[in-house]
Amino acid sequence: MKYERRCIRRHTVCVVKKRGSKFTKFKMSSKNRKEKPKMKPIIQVVNLFHRVVELIASGVFSLIAYFCHPKECQPPIKNRILLYSASTLAAQIRQQEITSEEVVQAYIDRINEIQPILNCVVEGRFEEALEEARKCDKMLRSSNAPSIKVLTMEKPFLGVPFTTKDCIAIAGMKQTAGLVVRKNTVSDRDAETVKLMRAAGAIPIAKTNVSELAMWWESSNCIYGTSRNPYNTRHIVGGSSGGEGALIAAAGSPFGIGSDIGGSIRMPCFFNGIFGHKTTRGVVSNEGQYPSPHHEEQDVLLSLGPMCRNPFDLIPMLRVLAGKNASMLNLDSKVDLSKLKIYYMEDDGGQLLVSPVEPEIKEAMYRVIDYFARVHKVKAKKVDLKKMKKSTDLWLANMSTKDARGFAYELSNRTGVLNIWWKLAQWFTFMGPHTLIALITVLVESFGIKFGSEKHTKLIQQSRDLYLEFKDMLDDGGIFLYPTHPTAAPMHHEPLIKPFNFSYTAIINVLGVPSTACPLGLNQNGLPIGIQVIGGMYQDHLTLAVAEEIGRAFGGWVPPPLIENGATIEVPTDIALYT
């Protein structure tokens, strides 16, 4: 039986069809689909009520957006430089086929073009970046310049610009974390990851927007406002690395650094249609990230990692970010995809107050499963991990602190002084320095899981048990396919009525294992969708190899049109053209 994949208009619609007949929905054989376990009646009733609330609220937000927020998309690309991968740009700069100054200037021009539409950048260092680019070009032209081979090994990203989210320190730039009281806080040194990127020759050009204190999945705060999705500005960019995700997706940066404590790399990558990687815990340094974890249990949840349009940039960038720990990840080992063991779940099994996974996201996952079965002869196995239904509770338990330094402490800028009722009164009079969701989080936290309580102890044990289940499943060359998020990017403020949807990514932070967000085109509304590929501890090279293969097979990032010589050109989604 022969199959083919057809893409219509910039990868907006993807179908799998059989010769001679057309399927509008991918179907697995009955023996591959296990009957789903039934939910308890009370959970079914609560979820049904929540679904009704979601639908009503979604209609209200749609009306508000229609009358108050004109629909816009990112403008066409006017410079072909913006289409190439960071690795390709670095090679061209080393070989003096193009100058670093040209590349940096192209990205500065693009940022200036998209910023009024997307509001994703909070601060630039354009003049400094151009000066550093000129020094790079001058060094390459000198008679005593290192050989191309030496530069490839020691300065793999020489002259290539990059960006980071606001929470990651760059010397001489603000590090507000979206908190008003920190609006004038300037970093006196680089974060460790920024240091490593500079040592690899990369040039920081800007910092990007985040949610308040990086603890919500819409990037909006009272200093810089709300960032907007490049595929439809009525929709969110995710959080907390949302500004970063939007900027990279809009070709405003070739790659960047994000941080992820509950999905803050993977959700923005999913909503904006780019690649991103949450590393195995403890591999990449968290030094220089604010807010910094208060204790070891929180520190292992947090992971800094790469975000990019081209999956072939992930391994070279991770090799730099991991520094001396890169050898732990076997990044140079060749992966035989035909020997993989693939497991999957199409949803969490029916978690309380979490949206159902949209059919188009499930279909996208089955396209990947079908591809690996046909091309690599690897048959995926569906599993049912019961504890995934407790993802939200497991993450909240692992985030709880024994010294009571919770979110209220963070909102006070770690002074310990915060009158939540006064702050709420200020918000209702439009004079408050905090977002509504930040204040709600403080209130909810006060009634949440207490460190050391019987419930906390039980949930921590269940987290360990789930980790052992994943270890048994993935340690022998296995990967796990799972939705990154149950829905495509919702409209602005809509996350308020579906706050626990982040649990699809948060549970992976609890486990500490690597996870790579992979885009799979656009849904029928023109918004990006995708899945995450999860591996065993220190098996990052497996998830990254699968991400590269998914990029090759399905096209990856969907670019805007290109304008050249006055003509508008639809850009092919074949990533090989830009690698």
Side-chain angles (χ1 to χ4, degrees), residues 1 17 73 87 118-119 188 228 231 268 270-271 313 348 350 353 357 407-408 426 442 502 516 557 561:
M1 185 180 294
K17 75 174 185 179
C73 297
S87 301
L118 305 181
N119 189 38
D188 57 3
R228 296 178 283 274
Y231 292 91
F270 171 80
F271 292 141
D313 283 333
D348 60 12
L353 298 178
V357 176
F407 198 64
Q426 286 181 313
V442 172
F502 79 100
T516 308
W557 169 64

Side-chain angles (χ1 to χ4, degrees), residues 440-456:
I440 291 174
T441 301
V442 172
L443 290 174
V444 172
E445 187 180 55
S446 63
F447 299 101
I449 300 165
K450 303 300 181 185
F451 187 92
S453 66
E454 183 179 346
K455 184 177 182 180
H456 174 263

